[in-house]
Amino acid sequence: MKTLKIAVQKSGRLKDDSLKLLKDIGISIDNGKEQLKARATNFPIEVFYLRNGDIPQYLADGVVDVAIIGSNVLAEKGNSIKSELALGFSRCRVSVAVPKTTPYSSIKDLNGKKIATSYPNTVQAFLDEQGVQADIHIINGSVEIAPNIGLADAIVDIVSTGGTLFKNNLVEKEVILESEAVLAVSPKIQSKQIQILERIKFRVASVLKGRTSKYVLLNAPNEKLEQIISILPGMKSPTVLPLAKSGWSSVHSVIDQHQFWDIIDDLKVNGAEGILICPIEKMVL
């Protein structure tokens, strides 16, 4: 039977989140310590544990069929690689940062300056777009130290919380791109593997939808039922069931977690009581 070869990061948080996603979509991976390749026990896939920066080349060469990878790495090294699905985790940004004491009003201030980065292609494309000429120094790891040792006037690196910049007396000034984990696909993927990929995408979409949705149950007075239903943006329409108490109904629906508190406030104003919110593990549409 044909298998789909999927690459994940060899170590780090992206690896942990990737394996959790595979587990959430029902795929069991038997991976021993320091194992570089593992086969799923209940699904036709093989997982390859690779260095993050090497994954785009493996995709381009068709060594692996798909990968879970940061879109920042794909932008830097994988111009021919298609991103199939955004996964909503491992969010960060690629940003320009300068020492706190450096005057800075715009990216034009870096004209003729030295920039340290491990994303030279991304930085060069951004500078070209902005009409800025700068000297790019390629550094792999510990980019933040470059201004402190006189190697560069500014850096471009990934930023999550900004804590590392703060520790090195740097200030974030420009966001070049926003990044998150994506499901990337090799241009050489075969039709049999595409069929397996479609099954995975369906499962992933169900998990991701569940993560961003909440199941809400509430009691509503019948005279306010129409107003309350109009507040709830359900998948099609809320479920309404009569309660034993005369003049009241139980309403069940799904709401987006990003709208959660605004919707709850409106429900309470319109007479909803006994509001119960439950997490959703998966939501199949």
Side-chain angles (χ1 to χ4, degrees):
M1 185 178 182
K2 290 287 186 180
T3 60
L4 181 81
K5 293 173 287 187
I6 180 169
V8 301
Q9 191 177 32
K10 186 177 179 180
S11 61
R13 183 177 175 181
L14 181 55
K15 173 192 175 181
D16 296 337
D17 289 340
S18 299
L19 294 180
K20 183 180 185 305
L21 178 63
L22 292 177
K23 182 180 179 181
D24 288 346
I25 64 173
I27 296 176
S28 299
I29 308 295
D30 183 18
N31 59 316
K33 187 176 181 181
E34 302 300 324
Q35 196 170 349
L36 298 180
K37 184 175 74 169
R39 184 182 292 269
T41 58
N42 62 345
F43 200 82
I45 71 167
E46 282 184 303
V47 179
F48 289 68
Y49 301 93
L50 305 172
R51 287 180 64 248
N52 204 35
D54 294 338
I55 290 176
Q57 191 61 54
Y58 280 98
L59 284 167
D61 293 341
V63 176
V64 295
D65 302 305
V66 297
I68 298 175
I69 187 172
S71 57
N72 58 310
V73 179
L74 212 56
E76 175 66 22
K77 297 185 174 182
N79 289 336
S80 64
I81 309 302
K82 180 182 177 184
S83 172
E84 195 79 10
L85 185 65
L87 300 178
F89 57 82
S90 293
R91 287 192 170 98
C92 62
R93 53 198 180 273
V94 178
S95 296
V96 177
V98 300
K100 292 179 180 178
T101 56
T102 300
Y104 188 97
S105 58
S106 75
I107 192 65
K108 304 292 185 183
D109 292 333
L110 297 183
N111 206 38
K113 303 293 186 179
K114 297 177 182 178
I115 301 174
T117 187
S118 53
Y119 296 90
N121 297 326
T122 302
V123 174
Q124 190 61 64
F126 178 71
L127 294 178
D128 291 345
E129 184 181 278
Q130 299 296 320
V132 173
Q133 292 186 342
D135 185 9
I136 297 175
H137 285 248
I138 302 173
I139 298 179
N140 293 314
S142 301
V143 175
E144 299 87 358
I145 199 173
N148 292 330
I149 61 175
L151 184 62
D153 302 294
I155 69 164
V156 173
D157 201 14
I158 57 171
V159 178
S160 295
T161 64
T164 303
L165 295 181
F166 179 79
K167 290 177 184 177
N168 287 275
N169 294 312
L170 299 173
V171 180
E172 184 179 7
K173 292 295 184 179
E174 306 272 353
V175 176
I176 293 180
L177 63 85
E178 301 280 354
S179 176
E180 66 179 300
V182 296
L183 189 66
V185 182
S186 168
K188 296 185 178 181
I189 190 171
Q190 302 297 307
S191 58
K192 290 288 187 182
Q193 281 73 28
I194 291 175
Q195 293 176 22
I196 301 171
L197 174 61
E198 290 303 315
R199 292 170 62 191
I200 288 177
K201 286 169 55 182
F202 172 77
R203 294 188 183 192
V204 169
S206 298
V207 168
L208 296 182
K209 185 63 177 174
R211 287 180 181 178
T212 59
S213 302
K214 299 291 183 184
Y215 191 75
V216 57
L217 303 87
L218 59 90
N219 297 330
N222 288 343
E223 68 268 17
K224 295 287 189 72
L225 197 55
E226 188 174 332
Q227 297 98 301
I228 288 174
I229 289 175
S230 69
I231 295 168
L232 293 167
M235 291 178 287
K236 289 186 178 178
S237 64
T239 300
V240 180
L241 301 171
L243 289 178
K245 183 179 180 180
S246 178
W248 285 78
S249 296
S250 174
V251 180
H252 301 214
S253 189
V254 174
I255 60 177
D256 188 286
Q257 67 175 9
H258 301 298
Q259 301 174 289
F260 176 80
W261 286 112
D262 289 337
I263 291 174
I264 296 302
D265 289 342
D266 289 343
L267 290 172
K268 287 180 64 64
V269 167
N270 281 276
E273 296 181 4
I275 302 172
L276 179 64
I277 308 299
C278 303
I280 298 174
E281 184 175 322
K282 300 172 182 68
M283 199 161 94
V284 181
L285 301 176

